[in-house]
Amino acid sequence: MIIYQTLELQFYELHGMLSFKCCNVDRHTSERDLPNMPRINVVSSVPGAESVVRQLLCEPVVGVSCQGTKHTNVLTSVTIGVPSGDIYVFDVKSCSAIVLDGGLIRLLQSVELVKVFHDVSIDSRVLQPYGVKVRHYFDTQVGYSVLLEQKGFPPRKINLPQLCKKYQIGLPSPDQQEQKRMGEDVNYWAKRPLSKSMLNLCAASVMALGTLYTCLASQLDPDMWAWFDCMSEENRLSRIQQRRIQSVKTARKNQQFMEHLYEYPVSRLTEAERQLIAESMPETRPI
């Protein structure tokens, strides 16, 4: 177990995604009361970020989710989950220098470490002011959309909880009141200090990404990967270069083969095909 000497790097232990406790950072963290439960590590200093980033760069794959304010699209935190189950929340709101000086940019732009997102367009938008261009990533929303195309369906979108449900991946039950507050308060993620409920939501946003990556990547045919890369990059830029990407999408949808896909009658779908597109929606509609 690694001991961090930086006082600004705080350890939180999550028990069943319902409660957590703080441990002294200059000592060994206490043993988990329940096995296989993720540990949440809040990083809010440049030295702490440098240490954690060095460790994360040794991982083969990580799940990533960015949090930010809705009205101004300001990045407030970056949550990263690793295969072992540990969760790292980089508190950008408290220390914005951790993005560049702390090495987060090096992790996000690494061409060796696979970063897994669900809808990377949202993350790319809040990372843009820092000059971060995400590289070597896997977008699970795009992955499922391309999987549907592989089976003859038009592109469709699906949110993370519904995608997890399709692959029978369990997620912790969210606090309904907290979710309501998050939806109504545009500055929800700008509040400090980070509360237990906020940390729970951060953890839930990345816990399943590694498993989804394994499932989706194994289902994509080899000849679909070039198309997947194209769609992933298009999605990454969709909120940064909106007019150009919309123009590209419009031109593509006007092509004959896309017209045929969109006209495929639902009445002809088999029961298995109906289940495949259930809970998803056409790409042109917002989630």
Side-chain angles (χ1 to χ4, degrees):
M1 184 178 296
I2 296 176
I3 307 173
Y4 293 99
Q5 302 295 336
T6 308
L7 292 178
E8 292 83 359
L9 178 60
Q10 305 170 22
F11 282 88
Y12 293 86
E13 190 167 3
L14 192 66
H15 301 298
M17 296 302 296
L18 296 176
S19 63
F20 70 97
K21 60 184 178 182
C22 180
C23 304
N24 294 329
V25 300
D26 55 349
R27 300 178 185 174
H28 287 283
T29 56
S30 64
E31 294 301 318
R32 298 173 180 142
D33 295 336
L34 295 175
N36 302 320
M37 288 298 159
R39 187 188 308 280
I40 298 182
N41 310 278
V42 179
V43 187
S44 57
S45 75
V46 170
E50 289 176 329
S51 177
V52 173
V53 166
R54 282 195 298 270
Q55 177 184 346
L56 293 176
L57 285 172
C58 296
E59 298 284 349
V61 58
V62 297
V64 183
S65 177
C66 296
Q67 293 76 44
T69 56
K70 292 181 179 179
H71 62 311
T72 58
N73 298 317
V74 175
L75 179 68
T76 57
S77 60
V78 178
T79 304
I80 297 178
V82 298
S84 66
D86 286 358
I87 308 293
Y88 297 87
V89 179
F90 291 82
D91 189 356
V92 179
K93 170 71 175 179
S94 297
C95 181
S96 60
I98 62 179
V99 177
L100 302 180
D101 298 339
L104 254 182
I105 185 173
R106 194 156 61 94
L107 183 148
L108 294 168
Q109 295 188 163
S110 168
V111 295
E112 297 178 348
L113 172 66
V114 178
K115 278 78 62 179
V116 187
F117 296 83
H118 186 80
D119 191 1
V120 73
S121 67
I122 299 173
D123 307 272
S124 294
R125 181 174 58 182
V126 294
L127 289 169
Q128 185 188 22
Y130 293 90
V132 177
K133 179 181 178 181
V134 180
R135 293 187 175 94
H136 201 45
Y137 61 94
F138 186 97
D139 190 326
T140 55
Q141 180 172 267
V142 175
Y144 191 71
S145 179
V146 172
L147 181 61
L148 291 179
E149 290 189 78
Q150 179 177 298
K151 297 180 181 295
F153 297 101
R156 298 177 72 88
K157 291 185 176 181
I158 188 169
N159 62 35
L160 182 58
Q162 291 296 343
L163 184 57
C164 289
K165 183 178 178 181
K166 285 185 177 296
Y167 286 93
Q168 300 181 335
I169 300 173
L171 284 179
S173 299
D175 185 319
Q176 297 299 321
Q177 289 298 321
E178 194 68 20
Q179 278 206 322
K180 183 180 179 181
R181 282 192 288 270
M182 181 179 65
E184 295 175 349
D185 187 355
V186 295
N187 291 312
Y188 176 84
W189 288 112
K191 295 179 179 179
R192 290 298 181 273
L194 288 163
S195 67
K196 174 177 64 177
S197 296
M198 294 171 77
L199 292 172
N200 288 351
L201 290 171
C202 286
S205 69
V206 299
M207 286 177 62
L209 293 180
T211 304
L212 286 172
Y213 164 66
T214 301
C215 295
L216 291 167
S218 66
Q219 290 182 289
L220 288 176
D221 291 342
D223 59 355
M224 293 298 291
W225 278 93
W227 180 243
F228 168 76
D229 290 341
C230 178
M231 291 297 94
S232 295
E233 189 64 4
E234 187 175 284
N235 189 47
R236 185 184 70 82
L237 297 171
S238 62
R239 297 173 189 261
I240 300 174
Q241 302 176 15
Q242 294 182 357
R243 290 185 179 180
R244 185 174 76 83
I245 297 303
Q246 188 56 50
S247 176
V248 171
K249 287 185 176 182
T250 300
R252 184 170 61 248
K253 288 176 182 178
N254 287 334
Q255 295 178 25
Q256 185 175 1
F257 79 97
M258 287 301 294
E259 290 288 342
H260 173 71
L261 287 177
Y262 275 93
E263 290 172 3
Y264 193 89
V266 176
S267 59
R268 286 164 48 190
L269 300 182
T270 65
E271 182 58 30
E273 290 172 331
R274 289 177 186 276
Q275 290 297 322
L276 190 65
I277 66 172
E279 309 297 346
S280 64
M281 61 185 64
E283 191 182 49
T284 53
R285 291 177 55 190
I287 293 181

